[in-house]
Amino acid sequence: MARTLKNPKKAKRKNKGSKIGDGASTSSSVPTIQPRVWQPGVDELAEGEELQCDPSAYNSLHAFHIGWPCLSFDIVRDSLGSDRKDFPHTVYFVAGTQAEKASSNSIGVFKVSNVSGKRRELVPTKSAGDDPDMDAESSDSEDSEDEEEAGSGAPVLQLRKVAHHGCVNRIRAMTQSPHICASWADSGHVQVWDFSSHLNALAESETEGVQGASSVFNQAPLVNFRGHKDEGYAIDWSPVVAGRLVTGDCKNCIHLWEPSSGSTWNVDPTPFVGHAASVEDLQWSPTEPHAFVSCSVDGTIAIWDIRLGKSPAASFKAHDADVNVISWNRLASCMLASGSDDGTFSIHDFRLLKDGNTVVAHFKYHKYPVTSIEWSPHEASTLAVSSSDNQLTIWDLSLEKDEEEEAEFKAQTRKQVNAPEDLPPQLLFVHQGQKDLKELHWHAQIPGMIVSTAADGFNILMPSNIQSTLPSNGS
């Protein structure tokens, strides 16, 4: 189940980005050598070679940290607009730390402003290999003739910390009321928090304000549920019914939370039980108020209807190993993605459930456990996957191999990159450079933006080859 950050170390203040990106590999002794695509688990570095980022692969790339590593985070919806394409951007997050001492942990509520970026052509007109070095904290702040800069300078991180006893296994913000967040602690407690005062303070503060405040606020949670028999990682807010929550633990129990007011919840003490091992992830239906799905170390996915008792409405074998993560497609509600401990991920179509085999696509690209998977909120066929192999990959499942188009594309790009021949046609992008990737999220209000967390901090990235990241004409 590949989740725990072992022996976490506090993040260093400066995090160079020489290993962030799609991994173009060049020789440091011969800087003019033609770059080539790096394939983890396949290629090996020769003596004197190093991995370097290709800035032309991104419209935006920044790295930051909040102190201790974070196993889980969530993007907080804001009031700045629902379809933002113009740089610089401002984003809000909540994240829980994995500190060495239980008393050193906190939940960070933070704002990252001045996230700058560039507008690029889908196919670069010249190689970016002449200047491979890039600072992770202002990774795309230099101009070139072919790129239009929008925003300048490094992003500004403003942080407010709320004391939290023990490590935070997972944290989620409610869609309808983003200031309400639920957290899973390694102590076995599930807590619900109101972070409105912190988000308001950050929204009103100037970007020149304090970066990474050292003070820690002592705040009591709205709810502290101790009814689980063990710690857990599975938690999800309903996107249909405001305040409805499910939480699952490592003892295969799932509890339903129903809101009774704006600040109180009734938690059903009788759990839903249907898995033979730890419940790893939970997802509410994007359209049905009573339906959710769960995945487990037992290799199965279960479908639940809270009106039909405490047993699954249906259950099926999904992988040959632990099912670590699932994501229900909010733009195509018949589709579910699942990621496994064996590195594979699958796409399931619930319309095929009666036929006994829901899998419509199965991918074996990653070599180590899948740690996070999420459908794009803007493109129904696009999803992102992170793995313990230190790769974050983006996939477009609508693509099939077209020999004529592929030949034309290679002719246009052969001077820029020497791409491997055996990559899946659905693979759009590979992001590397983070160590021990744990979780990723698409930004629902900024098309094409992904945020990821790893043992060495966070990345904000916007790949340049994803159509939706490019501003429309006239913008």
Side-chain angles (χ1 to χ4, degrees):
M1 33 177 131
R3 295 170 304 212
T4 304
L5 289 170
K6 297 182 178 179
N7 301 319
K9 296 182 179 179
K10 200 162 187 177
K12 295 181 180 178
R13 181 62 192 150
K14 195 72 172 177
N15 182 13
K16 285 290 183 179
S18 62
K19 293 187 179 181
I20 298 175
D22 64 350
S25 175
T26 67
S27 169
S28 58
S29 60
V30 188
T32 58
I33 191 172
Q34 183 182 14
R36 58 185 173 86
V37 171
W38 170 259
Q39 301 178 89
V42 177
D43 297 331
E44 295 183 2
L45 288 176
E47 185 177 354
E49 285 189 322
E50 64 179 12
L51 296 179
Q52 293 182 329
C53 173
D54 179 3
S56 69
Y58 299 87
N59 280 346
S60 182
L61 175 61
H62 297 281
F64 63 96
H65 58 82
I66 64 169
W68 293 105
C70 297
L71 181 67
S72 180
F73 77 102
D74 205 5
I75 297 172
V76 177
R77 285 181 174 268
D78 55 51
S79 59
L80 301 177
S82 60
D83 190 23
R84 310 202 294 269
K85 293 187 175 70
D86 294 329
F87 293 105
H89 290 299
T90 296
V91 291
Y92 293 83
F93 308 92
V94 288
T97 63
Q98 298 277 308
E100 288 178 335
K101 296 180 180 179
S103 59
S104 300
N105 282 288
S106 64
I107 294 176
V109 183
F110 53 106
K111 169 186 176 183
V112 182
S113 53
N114 196 41
V115 178
S116 59
K118 297 174 181 176
R119 301 175 182 179
R120 293 189 176 92
E121 298 298 328
L122 287 177
V123 179
T125 56
K126 70 176 185 179
S127 174
D130 297 336
D131 186 19
D133 294 327
M134 181 173 59
D135 190 311
E137 293 188 348
S138 57
S139 56
D140 48 1
S141 60
E142 297 186 11
D143 297 318
S144 74
E145 295 179 0
D146 296 332
E147 299 160 345
E148 180 181 349
E149 179 74 19
S152 60
V156 177
L157 170 64
Q158 294 169 283
L159 172 65
R160 292 170 72 90
K161 299 176 183 177
V162 176
H164 183 278
H165 187 78
C167 296
V168 178
N169 289 347
R170 197 160 286 175
I171 187 166
R172 292 291 182 263
M174 189 196 304
T175 303
Q176 300 88 345
S177 301
H179 61 282
I180 302 296
C181 299
S183 63
W184 246 121
D186 64 358
S187 62
H189 296 185
V190 180
Q191 298 171 320
V192 177
W193 307 81
D194 184 348
F195 292 139
S196 55
S197 62
H198 305 291
L199 290 167
N200 290 337
L202 291 171
E204 295 169 2
S205 65
E206 298 295 329
T207 57
E208 290 79 13
V210 178
Q211 300 185 34
S214 58
S215 59
V216 179
F217 296 89
N218 289 308
Q219 176 180 333
L222 298 176
V223 181
N224 185 12
F225 178 63
R226 299 179 175 89
H228 281 284
K229 297 178 181 179
D230 196 0
E231 67 175 312
Y233 295 81
I235 189 168
D236 195 40
W237 293 102
S238 169
V240 179
V241 180
R244 182 171 283 173
L245 180 73
V246 281
T247 54
D249 61 38
C250 294
K251 294 291 188 183
N252 73 313
C253 293
I254 301 169
H255 286 273
L256 173 66
W257 301 50
E258 293 284 11
S260 55
S261 71
S263 59
T264 59
W265 278 259
N266 292 323
V267 187
D268 190 339
T270 305
F272 294 83
V273 178
H275 289 292
S278 172
V279 177
E280 298 293 276
D281 203 1
L282 289 160
Q283 286 274 280
W284 281 102
S285 166
T287 57
E288 300 295 331
H290 304 104
F292 68 89
V293 293
S294 60
C295 66
S296 171
V297 167
D298 64 15
T300 67
I301 290 174
I303 304 171
W304 308 79
D305 188 325
I306 61 176
R307 301 166 298 182
L308 302 179
K310 304 298 184 180
S311 298
S315 181
F316 57 90
K317 184 73 172 179
H319 291 272
D320 293 330
D322 305 5
V323 188
N324 293 336
V325 286
I326 48 178
S327 178
W328 203 325
N329 194 324
R330 296 195 177 189
L331 300 179
S333 60
C334 62
M335 308 301 288
L336 183 83
S338 62
S340 176
D341 219 43
D342 61 10
T344 65
F345 68 95
S346 296
I347 310 302
H348 307 269
D349 187 337
F350 287 137
R351 294 171 297 184
L352 304 176
L353 189 61
K354 62 181 181 298
D355 298 329
N357 184 11
T358 61
V359 177
V360 293
H362 183 69
F363 296 91
K364 298 181 179 180
Y365 173 82
H366 288 285
K367 310 299 183 185
Y368 292 93
V370 172
T371 57
S372 186
I373 192 166
E374 189 169 286
W375 292 100
S376 166
H378 299 101
E379 300 290 340
S381 62
T382 301
L383 80 161
V385 180
S386 69
S387 169
S388 297
D389 63 10
N390 300 328
Q391 294 186 78
L392 186 159
T393 54
I394 303 174
W395 303 74
D396 186 345
L397 305 181
S398 67
L399 297 178
E400 295 181 359
K401 193 167 185 176
D402 185 300
E403 300 292 346
E404 184 176 343
E405 289 184 0
E406 186 176 1
E408 181 180 353
F409 179 79
K410 285 184 177 180
Q412 290 179 291
T413 60
R414 63 179 181 271
K415 293 183 179 180
Q416 281 78 41
V417 63
N418 179 24
E421 297 288 338
D422 57 348
L423 292 178
Q426 296 87 356
L427 181 60
L428 287 183
F429 196 85
V430 178
H431 172 72
Q432 297 179 69
Q434 291 181 277
K435 296 179 180 179
D436 202 7
L437 274 158
K438 291 301 180 184
E439 194 168 274
L440 67 88
H441 294 296
W442 296 86
H443 199 300
Q445 297 169 276
I446 306 176
M449 176 180 283
I450 293 177
V451 184
S452 56
T453 185
D456 53 359
F458 291 84
N459 276 188
I460 297 177
L461 58 139
M462 298 179 72
S464 61
N465 68 334
I466 296 183
Q467 190 76 32
S468 61
T469 68
L470 298 177
S472 57
N473 293 333
S475 62

